[in-house]
Structures are given as structure tokens and as C-alpha cells.
Amino acid sequence: MTTSRLLSLEHWKGWLWSVIRFVLITGLSFVILFPIFQKISTSIKDKGDLYSAVVVWIPQNFSIDNFQQAIRVMDYWATLFNTFALSATTTLLTTASCALAGYGFARLKFKGSNLLFAGVILTILVPPTTILIPVYLNLKSFDLMGLMTLITGKPVNLLNSYWPFILTAITANSLKAGLYIFIFRQFFRGIPKEVEEAAYVDGAGIGRTFARIMLPNAIPSMVTVMLFSFVWQWNDSFYTTTYLTSSKVMSTQLSSLPYNLAQQVSDGASKADPFYLSMIQDTGILLAILPLIVIYLFVQRYFVESVERTGIVG
């Protein structure tokens, strides 16, 4: 009788946990997918469907005019190429620099290393807006210890170029770099020290050990960091709209899409239909995230495996 009751209790616990898990997954899926489905529905609507009381999700008149307008106003293909080039470049440089920093914190103990790593963790916690003004001023009048003034006679303005992103990526100070350093540090700490000691016995130095032994073993963490870095740089609107105000990348084009469209479809932005502008902007957002969805479909298996092996979850 006792065994039967225990089995029944375990059965009810398993059933209850299944229900809770189903509710949680359904709720999370709704939160994530609802905005995407809403934008898909909006993007294929005709302008007249905006004012139809019977149209909610399925339009009465299907149209691709919204896509054509968004592609034209955003100069989509050139913008797509520029954004991909910027994201790919910063991703590769960020991965390389953060891997070096993570290896240094994990294996090379020196005086003050713990204090420096605390500073890395602080960069994750502190909002980027707190350092925006000094970084902006330094990039506007960039003078590397007086060398620029010595060579050109005045500081160099790096704004409206890719150099702010390249320099911060090379120095492991780019967007979310503190998190990437932490991921690499935790991964390298999990590799047995005997692997490095064997390389040292064979005459390899620190640099050769890192490049030939540690880095090939860090492929899972590299995949994780590269995917995070690429997606965050692609979606970034904070730094991009600050440093690249005149460049054609997704963030700047999306932020100016309603205004640019209003100037083209009417005599002025004040006379443009705000609901129509919102419809085109939703279509532009959908076009901006579409490449990320396609990339994820191809690399999601490697991404899940890399997250599991780096120990980010669990």
C-alpha cells in the first residue's frame, strides 16, 4: 500500500511538473514570437487595411509594397552589406582580444590581477551611459599620447567611421566585452593544467601554448562569444547611432526610416500618416532581423552545443 501511494505521488508530481513546464514554455514562446508575428502581419497589409475594423491579423488585401518601400528608403542592400561588414569585423577582433584577456586572467597570475578582473566584472554591471561622454570626446579628438598632434598637427576625429568599433574591439573594450572575457576565463580555468605543463616541458612558450594548445580547445567558447558579439553588434543602437550618425547601417537607417519616408511621400513629416509610417518601420525592423534568423537556423546546433560546453547554463 505504501509503495502504491509513493508511485501515485510520484505520478502526480511528474504530471504537475509537466503542466508547469508547458505553461512556462508557452508563455515564453508567446512573449518572444508575438512581436514577430505581429510585424509579419503588418508588413503584408495594404495601406487601406490600417483603417478596416475587421482586419486584425490576416489582411484583406495582401501587398508587398511595404517591403518595397522599406528596401528603397533604407537602401537595404547597401545597408545590409555595411552592417554585416561592421559586425563581422568587430566580432573577429573582439573574440581574439577577449580570448587573450580571458586566458591571462585564468592562467597568468600577477600582482593586481584580481583587482583588474573586478574591473572587468564592473564593466558588466555599470551602464554604458556613464562613460559615454568621455569616450565620445576622446574619439572626437583622438590623440594617442600626443602622437597624432605630433604627426598631423591636431587630434584626429574618429567619429562617423568604423575606427571607434575597431579600436574598442582590439583592446577588448567593445560592446559586452566584459561578459566575453568572463566566458573565456571560466572556460580556460576548466582546462587541466597538465595540458599546459606538457607543452612547457616540450619547450613551448606562453604564446605558443595559447595558440597551439589552449585556443583549439576553446572552440565552444569562441562560437558562443562570436554569436553573441555578432548579434549584439548587429542590433546595437546605442553606440552605433552615436558614432555612426551618417553611415548606412541598420540602426541608423531604422531610426531615420519614418522621417526619410515622410519626406518622400508627402510635403513634410508633419503631413505624413503616422500609422503608415509605423507600418513601414515595422517592415524595416522585420527586414533587419531576418538575416539573424537565417543565420541562427544554420548555426543553432553549434550554438546550443557551445553553450552547454562553456557552462553558461546549468
Side-chain angles (χ1 to χ4, degrees), residues 45-187:
K45 288 180 181 178
D46 187 74
K47 186 177 180 180
D49 291 336
L50 285 172
Y51 308 100
S52 176
V54 299
V55 174
V56 180
W57 286 96
I58 302 177
Q60 287 182 322
N61 304 297
F62 289 89
S63 175
I64 61 171
D65 181 68
N66 295 333
F67 287 99
Q68 294 173 344
Q69 290 280 17
I71 290 173
R72 178 180 59 82
V73 176
M74 292 175 63
D75 193 7
Y76 180 72
W77 301 113
T79 301
L80 181 66
F81 176 79
N82 293 338
T83 309
F84 184 86
L86 175 62
S87 299
T89 302
T90 55
T91 294
L92 294 175
L93 295 176
T94 297
T95 303
S97 60
C98 290
L100 283 169
Y103 178 69
F105 284 119
R107 286 292 194 256
L108 307 179
K109 297 300 180 182
F110 52 91
K111 189 174 181 179
S113 61
N114 292 331
L115 184 61
L116 285 177
F117 186 69
V120 172
I121 299 300
L122 193 63
T123 62
I124 304 175
L125 304 176
V126 174
T129 52
T130 57
I131 59 172
L132 175 63
I133 294 178
V135 172
Y136 181 88
L137 294 176
N138 285 332
L139 293 173
K140 186 178 180 180
S141 301
F142 184 74
D143 194 3
L144 185 61
M145 294 183 292
L147 292 178
M148 298 300 174
T149 303
L150 181 64
I151 297 173
T152 63
K154 61 179 181 179
V156 179
N157 185 4
L158 299 181
L159 299 178
N160 291 324
S161 70
Y162 288 172
W163 280 109
F165 302 93
I166 294 174
L167 291 177
T168 53
I170 291 175
T171 56
N173 196 33
S174 60
L175 181 65
K176 309 291 185 179
L179 175 62
Y180 308 148
I181 293 174
F182 177 78
I183 291 174
F184 277 119
R185 175 182 179 269
Q186 296 303 106
F187 186 86

Side-chain angles (χ1 to χ4, degrees), residues 21-308:
R21 183 170 54 185
F22 174 79
V23 172
L24 289 175
I25 294 175
T26 303
L28 290 174
S29 300
F30 175 80
V31 170
I32 295 172
L33 296 178
F34 177 79
I36 298 177
F37 289 150
Q38 191 177 46
K39 284 176 173 53
I40 293 175
S41 174
T42 302
S43 64
I44 59 177
K45 288 180 181 178
D46 187 74
K47 186 177 180 180
D49 291 336
L50 285 172
Y51 308 100
S52 176
V54 299
V55 174
V56 180
W57 286 96
I58 302 177
Q60 287 182 322
N61 304 297
F62 289 89
S63 175
I64 61 171
D65 181 68
N66 295 333
F67 287 99
Q68 294 173 344
Q69 290 280 17
I71 290 173
R72 178 180 59 82
V73 176
M74 292 175 63
D75 193 7
Y76 180 72
W77 301 113
T79 301
L80 181 66
F81 176 79
N82 293 338
T83 309
F84 184 86
L86 175 62
S87 299
T89 302
T90 55
T91 294
L92 294 175
L93 295 176
T94 297
T95 303
S97 60
C98 290
L100 283 169
Y103 178 69
F105 284 119
R107 286 292 194 256
L108 307 179
K109 297 300 180 182
F110 52 91
K111 189 174 181 179
S113 61
N114 292 331
L115 184 61
L116 285 177
F117 186 69
V120 172
I121 299 300
L122 193 63
T123 62
I124 304 175
L125 304 176
V126 174
T129 52
T130 57
I131 59 172
L132 175 63
I133 294 178
V135 172
Y136 181 88
L137 294 176
N138 285 332
L139 293 173
K140 186 178 180 180
S141 301
F142 184 74
D143 194 3
L144 185 61
M145 294 183 292
L147 292 178
M148 298 300 174
T149 303
L150 181 64
I151 297 173
T152 63
K154 61 179 181 179
V156 179
N157 185 4
L158 299 181
L159 299 178
N160 291 324
S161 70
Y162 288 172
W163 280 109
F165 302 93
I166 294 174
L167 291 177
T168 53
I170 291 175
T171 56
N173 196 33
S174 60
L175 181 65
K176 309 291 185 179
L179 175 62
Y180 308 148
I181 293 174
F182 177 78
I183 291 174
F184 277 119
R185 175 182 179 269
Q186 296 303 106
F187 186 86
F188 286 132
R189 289 184 65 182
I191 297 179
K193 291 186 177 180
E194 290 76 12
V195 176
E196 291 173 282
E197 292 172 354
Y200 294 151
V201 170
D202 291 339
I206 294 176
R208 187 176 179 183
T209 301
F210 171 76
R212 298 290 184 87
I213 306 299
M214 303 299 287
L215 208 56
N217 288 318
I219 296 298
S221 57
M222 290 175 63
V223 171
T224 302
V225 168
M226 290 178 71
L227 287 174
F228 281 161
S229 178
F230 186 88
V231 171
W232 272 324
Q233 180 60 58
W234 186 285
N235 294 328
D236 172 59
S237 60
F238 181 76
Y239 289 109
T240 306
T241 54
T242 302
Y243 302 148
L244 283 175
T245 55
S246 62
S247 298
K248 289 185 177 181
V249 292
M250 287 295 177
S251 298
T252 56
Q253 292 296 85
L254 282 176
S255 62
S256 60
L257 175 58
Y259 177 79
N260 292 336
L261 180 62
Q263 296 299 318
Q264 297 180 21
V265 301
S266 64
D267 296 333
S270 60
K271 297 182 179 180
D273 185 351
F275 297 104
Y276 178 65
L277 298 181
S278 177
M279 174 187 284
I280 301 300
Q281 187 169 37
D282 283 346
T283 307
I285 294 172
L286 185 63
L287 288 171
I289 66 176
L290 186 61
L292 297 179
I293 296 175
V294 173
I295 292 174
Y296 181 75
L297 291 177
F298 284 99
V299 303
Q300 60 92 13
R301 181 170 66 88
Y302 305 100
F303 175 69
V304 173
E305 291 178 355
S306 63
V307 169
E308 291 177 349

